[in-house]
Amino acid sequence: MMPTEEKQPILSIRNLNIWYGDKQILRDLSFEVHQRQVTAFIGPTNCGKSTLVRCLNRLNDFTPNFRFTGDILFKGTLLGASTDTTALRKQIGMVFRKPTLFRCSTYENVAYGARISGINRSEPLDAIVEKNLRKIGLWDEVENILDETPAQLSTGQQQLLCVARALVVEPEVLIFDEPCGELDPIETVKIERLVRDLADDYTLIFATNKRRQAARVSDVAGFLYSGELVEFGATERLFTNPQDNRTEQYVTGRLG
Amino acid sequence: MLQAEIKTLQHKLLEMAGLAEQMLRQAIESVLTRDEALARMVVDTDDTIDEFENEIESLCIQLIALHQPVASELRFLMMVMKISHNIERLADKSVAIAKRSIELMEYPPVKPFVDLPHVAQVIQTMVKDVLDAFVNRNAELAFEVRERDSEVDEIYERMLNELLTLLSEHPKLIEPGISLLLLFRHLERVGDLAANIGEEVYYLVKGDVIRHSDTR
């Protein structure tokens, strides 16, 4: 569960501070994310998890009064004003709490990314759609209804479809922001299994307020509390022998 | 909720440990004073210890299933299962000592006890201290108890050699001699079990495994 082949972190965050207007949301966060690992951020509601993960592909840029200091390095390159955010978001994809699908067919939802991404497509579109739907284990369920709207799919299937759509543009990093927030336990298990499977090929970042979910899916976990990264390290350590008393209180359900 | 259950469990484990300590004390006393009734009392208490172990194990499994604990709570439940098992083995050793004690009463004393009262005292203190370490979550004391086991091993070796020399010189003593030899061995094992509990308490408190490390 702890691959060490890639020594160089894919993401390095140094002394990150974030404000919305006068309100400081994150305080002096520093950590590294390594390739082909699942890194989870846990913490109670409003601890700053979503703000943090949205920073990593610059989704907060649109938020009014958003301000940050500190460095975010993606593959050693500092993300700054000149960063091509469209290219960045292709490399760092995102799956949100609620399935956000386009108002078109299941096929088009997946194909869309490939059509607009400008990546060199040597494969036919049909093959790309099928490959990505197979990758997330949804192909058998939707192959006969590809031309229909995904609205008829269950929420869990829709969420899986969002993952397929994110994968089409061949990202390196995939961020999941509370991806199971709207799902029932069985659908949740499917997403969790998928996350583990995807970790063979992608770097995954996972924000959740479900402690046990982080314990199940992640290799490395960080505990955020009131905007502070209280503890960050191997998941196994965080859940068997946390070093900070606040982490201990949170993982045992006495804080939060 | 789990907090309250953990308190109940700790209380139960300490009740069990208290009984095991008493069995050990009585077993040793029965050897030193040749008190058969006391030795038989130890043998009869064994069932109660077994019941304690079963009850504690069931409760731990139930709490793990229902609460899926993590961090110190998980360590507590896992270690309570191990500690209760070691206390059960410790009580078994006391029963074995009591049985050897009864056998020895059929013969005149093999030799005056020189080291036995001393090593018995060391071992009883180890058991007492390791339980104190558990109650007070005192990792340093737990570690130190584990270290004391080597003192027990040294005395055991000495007692064993003395006894073997005596038996080679006085073959008529061989039958009670063997009972005595086994008794020494049981006592030495009690020291090992107290050291095991020391390792478990250390893990419970610190989250670090010291089992199989070389200091012992």
mmCIF file of all heavy atoms in Angstrom, chain B residues 164-198:
data_model
loop_
_atom_site.group_PDB
_atom_site.id
_atom_site.type_symbol
_atom_site.label_atom_id
_atom_site.label_comp_id
_atom_site.label_asym_id
_atom_site.label_seq_id
_atom_site.Cartn_x
_atom_site.Cartn_y
_atom_site.Cartn_z
ATOM 1 N N LEU B 164 20.317 -29.991 40.223
ATOM 2 C CA LEU B 164 20.849 -31.109 39.433
ATOM 3 C C LEU B 164 22.080 -31.714 40.102
ATOM 4 O O LEU B 164 22.244 -32.934 40.135
ATOM 5 C CB LEU B 164 21.182 -30.648 38.010
ATOM 6 C CG LEU B 164 19.957 -30.337 37.135
ATOM 7 C CD1 LEU B 164 20.380 -29.779 35.780
ATOM 8 C CD2 LEU B 164 19.082 -31.583 36.944
ATOM 9 N N THR B 165 22.916 -30.863 40.671
ATOM 10 C CA THR B 165 24.090 -31.356 41.404
ATOM 11 C C THR B 165 23.643 -32.208 42.586
ATOM 12 O O THR B 165 24.152 -33.317 42.802
ATOM 13 C CB THR B 165 24.940 -30.169 41.923
ATOM 14 O OG1 THR B 165 25.128 -29.268 40.842
ATOM 15 C CG2 THR B 165 26.270 -30.611 42.477
ATOM 16 N N LEU B 166 22.651 -31.694 43.321
ATOM 17 C CA LEU B 166 22.141 -32.402 44.495
ATOM 18 C C LEU B 166 21.583 -33.771 44.100
ATOM 19 O O LEU B 166 21.861 -34.787 44.753
ATOM 20 C CB LEU B 166 21.043 -31.549 45.157
ATOM 21 C CG LEU B 166 20.409 -32.121 46.426
ATOM 22 C CD1 LEU B 166 21.382 -31.986 47.603
ATOM 23 C CD2 LEU B 166 19.103 -31.424 46.754
ATOM 24 N N LEU B 167 20.805 -33.776 42.989
ATOM 25 C CA LEU B 167 20.169 -35.028 42.570
ATOM 26 C C LEU B 167 21.194 -36.045 42.075
ATOM 27 O O LEU B 167 21.028 -37.250 42.266
ATOM 28 C CB LEU B 167 19.121 -34.767 41.476
ATOM 29 C CG LEU B 167 17.900 -33.936 41.911
ATOM 30 C CD1 LEU B 167 16.885 -33.861 40.785
ATOM 31 C CD2 LEU B 167 17.245 -34.493 43.172
ATOM 32 N N SER B 168 22.265 -35.548 41.448
ATOM 33 C CA SER B 168 23.280 -36.490 40.972
ATOM 34 C C SER B 168 24.030 -37.113 42.152
ATOM 35 O O SER B 168 24.478 -38.249 42.085
ATOM 36 C CB SER B 168 24.245 -35.799 40.013
ATOM 37 O OG SER B 168 24.940 -34.786 40.693
ATOM 38 N N GLU B 169 24.101 -36.360 43.246
ATOM 39 C CA GLU B 169 24.781 -36.891 44.427
ATOM 40 C C GLU B 169 23.852 -37.766 45.264
ATOM 41 O O GLU B 169 24.295 -38.644 45.986
ATOM 42 C CB GLU B 169 25.316 -35.737 45.289
ATOM 43 C CG GLU B 169 26.517 -35.046 44.662
ATOM 44 C CD GLU B 169 26.834 -33.695 45.301
ATOM 45 O OE1 GLU B 169 26.147 -33.330 46.283
ATOM 46 O OE2 GLU B 169 27.747 -33.017 44.798
ATOM 47 N N HIS B 170 22.542 -37.494 45.197
ATOM 48 C CA HIS B 170 21.564 -38.250 46.012
ATOM 49 C C HIS B 170 20.435 -38.758 45.122
ATOM 50 O O HIS B 170 19.331 -38.207 45.105
ATOM 51 C CB HIS B 170 20.970 -37.360 47.123
ATOM 52 C CG HIS B 170 22.009 -36.740 48.000
ATOM 53 N ND1 HIS B 170 22.593 -37.415 49.058
ATOM 54 C CD2 HIS B 170 22.603 -35.519 47.970
ATOM 55 C CE1 HIS B 170 23.492 -36.632 49.644
ATOM 56 N NE2 HIS B 170 23.516 -35.468 48.996
ATOM 57 N N PRO B 171 20.710 -39.842 44.412
ATOM 58 C CA PRO B 171 19.710 -40.360 43.461
ATOM 59 C C PRO B 171 18.364 -40.703 44.110
ATOM 60 O O PRO B 171 17.344 -40.718 43.426
ATOM 61 C CB PRO B 171 20.381 -41.614 42.896
ATOM 62 C CG PRO B 171 21.831 -41.455 43.176
ATOM 63 C CD PRO B 171 21.946 -40.647 44.417
ATOM 64 N N LYS B 172 18.346 -40.937 45.410
ATOM 65 C CA LYS B 172 17.078 -41.273 46.067
ATOM 66 C C LYS B 172 16.094 -40.101 46.034
ATOM 67 O O LYS B 172 14.887 -40.275 46.215
ATOM 68 C CB LYS B 172 17.334 -41.688 47.527
ATOM 69 C CG LYS B 172 17.828 -43.094 47.647
ATOM 70 C CD LYS B 172 17.912 -43.482 49.111
ATOM 71 C CE LYS B 172 18.497 -44.899 49.232
ATOM 72 N NZ LYS B 172 18.945 -45.174 50.604
ATOM 73 N N LEU B 173 16.632 -38.946 45.869
ATOM 74 C CA LEU B 173 15.771 -37.737 45.866
ATOM 75 C C LEU B 173 15.147 -37.464 44.500
ATOM 76 O O LEU B 173 14.495 -36.446 44.296
ATOM 77 C CB LEU B 173 16.598 -36.513 46.288
ATOM 78 C CG LEU B 173 17.072 -36.473 47.738
ATOM 79 C CD1 LEU B 173 17.956 -35.247 47.963
ATOM 80 C CD2 LEU B 173 15.883 -36.433 48.689
ATOM 81 N N ILE B 174 15.380 -38.396 43.549
ATOM 82 C CA ILE B 174 15.015 -38.072 42.162
ATOM 83 C C ILE B 174 13.524 -37.764 41.988
ATOM 84 O O ILE B 174 13.158 -36.813 41.274
ATOM 85 C CB ILE B 174 15.517 -39.198 41.199
ATOM 86 C CG1 ILE B 174 15.925 -38.604 39.839
ATOM 87 C CG2 ILE B 174 14.483 -40.252 40.913
ATOM 88 C CD1 ILE B 174 17.330 -38.230 39.748
ATOM 89 N N GLU B 175 12.651 -38.521 42.650
ATOM 90 C CA GLU B 175 11.213 -38.295 42.425
ATOM 91 C C GLU B 175 10.744 -36.921 42.898
ATOM 92 O O GLU B 175 10.193 -36.149 42.099
ATOM 93 C CB GLU B 175 10.391 -39.424 43.048
ATOM 94 C CG GLU B 175 10.346 -40.626 42.125
ATOM 95 C CD GLU B 175 9.440 -41.707 42.629
ATOM 96 O OE1 GLU B 175 8.405 -41.371 43.253
ATOM 97 O OE2 GLU B 175 9.748 -42.891 42.432
ATOM 98 N N PRO B 176 10.967 -36.585 44.194
ATOM 99 C CA PRO B 176 10.575 -35.219 44.588
ATOM 100 C C PRO B 176 11.405 -34.170 43.853
ATOM 101 O O PRO B 176 10.930 -33.063 43.586
ATOM 102 C CB PRO B 176 10.844 -35.185 46.097
ATOM 103 C CG PRO B 176 11.825 -36.275 46.355
ATOM 104 C CD PRO B 176 11.567 -37.333 45.332
ATOM 105 N N GLY B 177 12.644 -34.574 43.512
ATOM 106 C CA GLY B 177 13.532 -33.639 42.804
ATOM 107 C C GLY B 177 12.945 -33.200 41.471
ATOM 108 O O GLY B 177 13.040 -32.028 41.092
ATOM 109 N N ILE B 178 12.320 -34.141 40.773
ATOM 110 C CA ILE B 178 11.729 -33.801 39.474
ATOM 111 C C ILE B 178 10.541 -32.845 39.673
ATOM 112 O O ILE B 178 10.372 -31.870 38.922
ATOM 113 C CB ILE B 178 11.320 -35.078 38.711
ATOM 114 C CG1 ILE B 178 12.600 -35.752 38.173
ATOM 115 C CG2 ILE B 178 10.377 -34.751 37.547
ATOM 116 C CD1 ILE B 178 12.384 -37.085 37.519
ATOM 117 N N SER B 179 9.740 -33.112 40.703
ATOM 118 C CA SER B 179 8.619 -32.201 40.983
ATOM 119 C C SER B 179 9.134 -30.788 41.263
ATOM 120 O O SER B 179 8.559 -29.795 40.807
ATOM 121 C CB SER B 179 7.824 -32.689 42.198
ATOM 122 O OG SER B 179 7.185 -33.895 41.899
ATOM 123 N N LEU B 180 10.225 -30.740 42.004
ATOM 124 C CA LEU B 180 10.795 -29.439 42.361
ATOM 125 C C LEU B 180 11.364 -28.736 41.127
ATOM 126 O O LEU B 180 11.179 -27.522 40.929
ATOM 127 C CB LEU B 180 11.899 -29.640 43.414
ATOM 128 C CG LEU B 180 12.379 -28.397 44.145
ATOM 129 C CD1 LEU B 180 11.208 -27.697 44.841
ATOM 130 C CD2 LEU B 180 13.442 -28.757 45.192
ATOM 131 N N LEU B 181 11.992 -29.540 40.294
ATOM 132 C CA LEU B 181 12.556 -28.992 39.059
ATOM 133 C C LEU B 181 11.450 -28.391 38.173
ATOM 134 O O LEU B 181 11.582 -27.289 37.638
ATOM 135 C CB LEU B 181 13.263 -30.149 38.341
ATOM 136 C CG LEU B 181 14.146 -29.851 37.160
ATOM 137 C CD1 LEU B 181 15.375 -30.778 37.236
ATOM 138 C CD2 LEU B 181 13.439 -30.105 35.855
ATOM 139 N N LEU B 182 10.343 -29.123 38.077
ATOM 140 C CA LEU B 182 9.213 -28.620 37.278
ATOM 141 C C LEU B 182 8.632 -27.351 37.906
ATOM 142 O O LEU B 182 8.263 -26.408 37.211
ATOM 143 C CB LEU B 182 8.123 -29.697 37.166
ATOM 144 C CG LEU B 182 8.496 -30.896 36.276
ATOM 145 C CD1 LEU B 182 7.444 -32.007 36.411
ATOM 146 C CD2 LEU B 182 8.616 -30.477 34.818
ATOM 147 N N LEU B 183 8.608 -27.362 39.232
ATOM 148 C CA LEU B 183 8.083 -26.191 39.944
ATOM 149 C C LEU B 183 8.907 -24.941 39.621
ATOM 150 O O LEU B 183 8.364 -23.872 39.347
ATOM 151 C CB LEU B 183 8.096 -26.502 41.440
ATOM 152 C CG LEU B 183 7.385 -25.539 42.382
ATOM 153 C CD1 LEU B 183 6.840 -26.303 43.571
ATOM 154 C CD2 LEU B 183 8.284 -24.417 42.858
ATOM 155 N N PHE B 184 10.245 -25.118 39.649
ATOM 156 C CA PHE B 184 11.123 -23.986 39.307
ATOM 157 C C PHE B 184 10.815 -23.493 37.893
ATOM 158 O O PHE B 184 10.761 -22.297 37.632
ATOM 159 C CB PHE B 184 12.606 -24.416 39.354
ATOM 160 C CG PHE B 184 13.141 -24.670 40.741
ATOM 161 C CD1 PHE B 184 14.402 -25.256 40.915
ATOM 162 C CD2 PHE B 184 12.403 -24.326 41.866
ATOM 163 C CE1 PHE B 184 14.910 -25.483 42.187
ATOM 164 C CE2 PHE B 184 12.903 -24.565 43.143
ATOM 165 C CZ PHE B 184 14.154 -25.150 43.294
ATOM 166 N N ARG B 185 10.633 -24.444 37.005
ATOM 167 C CA ARG B 185 10.370 -24.123 35.595
ATOM 168 C C ARG B 185 9.053 -23.328 35.460
ATOM 169 O O ARG B 185 8.987 -22.339 34.725
ATOM 170 C CB ARG B 185 10.316 -25.432 34.803
ATOM 171 C CG ARG B 185 9.913 -25.285 33.367
ATOM 172 C CD ARG B 185 11.047 -24.724 32.529
ATOM 173 N NE ARG B 185 10.620 -24.490 31.155
ATOM 174 C CZ ARG B 185 11.021 -23.463 30.418
ATOM 175 N NH1 ARG B 185 11.852 -22.571 30.912
ATOM 176 N NH2 ARG B 185 10.600 -23.331 29.198
ATOM 177 N N HIS B 186 8.020 -23.757 36.201
ATOM 178 C CA HIS B 186 6.733 -23.033 36.153
ATOM 179 C C HIS B 186 6.912 -21.592 36.632
ATOM 180 O O HIS B 186 6.366 -20.656 36.058
ATOM 181 C CB HIS B 186 5.675 -23.717 37.036
ATOM 182 C CG HIS B 186 5.320 -25.104 36.594
ATOM 183 N ND1 HIS B 186 5.156 -25.457 35.289
ATOM 184 C CD2 HIS B 186 5.094 -26.241 37.324
ATOM 185 C CE1 HIS B 186 4.847 -26.757 35.213
ATOM 186 N NE2 HIS B 186 4.814 -27.250 36.443
ATOM 187 N N LEU B 187 7.688 -21.464 37.711
ATOM 188 C CA LEU B 187 7.921 -20.110 38.252
ATOM 189 C C LEU B 187 8.625 -19.227 37.231
ATOM 190 O O LEU B 187 8.267 -18.066 37.023
ATOM 191 C CB LEU B 187 8.800 -20.206 39.500
ATOM 192 C CG LEU B 187 8.118 -20.119 40.853
ATOM 193 C CD1 LEU B 187 9.179 -20.157 41.946
ATOM 194 C CD2 LEU B 187 7.279 -18.853 40.996
ATOM 195 N N GLU B 188 9.620 -19.812 36.589
ATOM 196 C CA GLU B 188 10.367 -19.060 35.586
ATOM 197 C C GLU B 188 9.434 -18.614 34.457
ATOM 198 O O GLU B 188 9.538 -17.501 33.949
ATOM 199 C CB GLU B 188 11.521 -19.934 35.065
ATOM 200 C CG GLU B 188 12.486 -19.245 34.129
ATOM 201 C CD GLU B 188 12.082 -19.335 32.667
ATOM 202 O OE1 GLU B 188 11.403 -20.313 32.298
ATOM 203 O OE2 GLU B 188 12.425 -18.426 31.895
ATOM 204 N N ARG B 189 8.480 -19.478 34.106
ATOM 205 C CA ARG B 189 7.525 -19.150 33.041
ATOM 206 C C ARG B 189 6.606 -17.994 33.455
ATOM 207 O O ARG B 189 6.193 -17.198 32.626
ATOM 208 C CB ARG B 189 6.687 -20.386 32.669
ATOM 209 C CG ARG B 189 7.458 -21.460 31.932
ATOM 210 C CD ARG B 189 7.881 -21.005 30.547
ATOM 211 N NE ARG B 189 6.738 -20.752 29.680
ATOM 212 C CZ ARG B 189 6.682 -19.773 28.778
ATOM 213 N NH1 ARG B 189 7.704 -18.939 28.643
ATOM 214 N NH2 ARG B 189 5.619 -19.618 28.036
ATOM 215 N N VAL B 190 6.299 -17.928 34.759
ATOM 216 C CA VAL B 190 5.464 -16.817 35.239
ATOM 217 C C VAL B 190 6.174 -15.487 34.954
ATOM 218 O O VAL B 190 5.564 -14.512 34.530
ATOM 219 C CB VAL B 190 5.125 -16.958 36.745
ATOM 220 C CG1 VAL B 190 4.433 -15.703 37.267
ATOM 221 C CG2 VAL B 190 4.238 -18.179 36.989
ATOM 222 N N GLY B 191 7.494 -15.508 35.165
ATOM 223 C CA GLY B 191 8.285 -14.304 34.858
ATOM 224 C C GLY B 191 8.168 -13.933 33.383
ATOM 225 O O GLY B 191 7.976 -12.762 33.035
ATOM 226 N N ASP B 192 8.229 -14.943 32.517
ATOM 227 C CA ASP B 192 8.083 -14.696 31.067
ATOM 228 C C ASP B 192 6.724 -14.070 30.758
ATOM 229 O O ASP B 192 6.621 -13.155 29.937
ATOM 230 C CB ASP B 192 8.187 -16.013 30.273
ATOM 231 C CG ASP B 192 9.590 -16.597 30.293
ATOM 232 O OD1 ASP B 192 10.526 -15.858 30.651
ATOM 233 O OD2 ASP B 192 9.736 -17.791 29.961
ATOM 234 N N LEU B 193 5.699 -14.608 31.402
ATOM 235 C CA LEU B 193 4.339 -14.126 31.116
ATOM 236 C C LEU B 193 4.167 -12.681 31.591
ATOM 237 O O LEU B 193 3.546 -11.861 30.900
ATOM 238 C CB LEU B 193 3.301 -15.049 31.763
ATOM 239 C CG LEU B 193 3.272 -16.471 31.167
ATOM 240 C CD1 LEU B 193 2.439 -17.409 32.023
ATOM 241 C CD2 LEU B 193 2.738 -16.455 29.737
ATOM 242 N N ALA B 194 4.753 -12.375 32.757
ATOM 243 C CA ALA B 194 4.685 -10.985 33.249
ATOM 244 C C ALA B 194 5.412 -10.065 32.257
ATOM 245 O O ALA B 194 4.952 -8.953 31.959
ATOM 246 C CB ALA B 194 5.306 -10.889 34.639
ATOM 247 N N ALA B 195 6.541 -10.564 31.724
ATOM 248 C CA ALA B 195 7.287 -9.767 30.726
ATOM 249 C C ALA B 195 6.456 -9.577 29.458
ATOM 250 O O ALA B 195 6.446 -8.486 28.871
ATOM 251 C CB ALA B 195 8.614 -10.461 30.406
ATOM 252 N N ASN B 196 5.737 -10.643 29.044
ATOM 253 C CA ASN B 196 4.841 -10.511 27.878
ATOM 254 C C ASN B 196 3.803 -9.420 28.123
ATOM 255 O O ASN B 196 3.537 -8.593 27.244
ATOM 256 C CB ASN B 196 4.060 -11.810 27.627
ATOM 257 C CG ASN B 196 4.928 -12.908 27.062
ATOM 258 O OD1 ASN B 196 6.083 -12.677 26.736
ATOM 259 N ND2 ASN B 196 4.375 -14.098 26.947
ATOM 260 N N ILE B 197 3.219 -9.437 29.289
ATOM 261 C CA ILE B 197 2.198 -8.425 29.607
ATOM 262 C C ILE B 197 2.841 -7.032 29.575
ATOM 263 O O ILE B 197 2.243 -6.071 29.107
ATOM 264 C CB ILE B 197 1.519 -8.723 30.976
ATOM 265 C CG1 ILE B 197 0.809 -10.087 30.913
ATOM 266 C CG2 ILE B 197 0.525 -7.617 31.345
ATOM 267 C CD1 ILE B 197 0.231 -10.567 32.241
ATOM 268 N N GLY B 198 4.111 -6.971 30.027
ATOM 269 C CA GLY B 198 4.843 -5.702 29.961
ATOM 270 C C GLY B 198 4.917 -5.189 28.525
ATOM 271 O O GLY B 198 4.690 -4.003 28.262
#
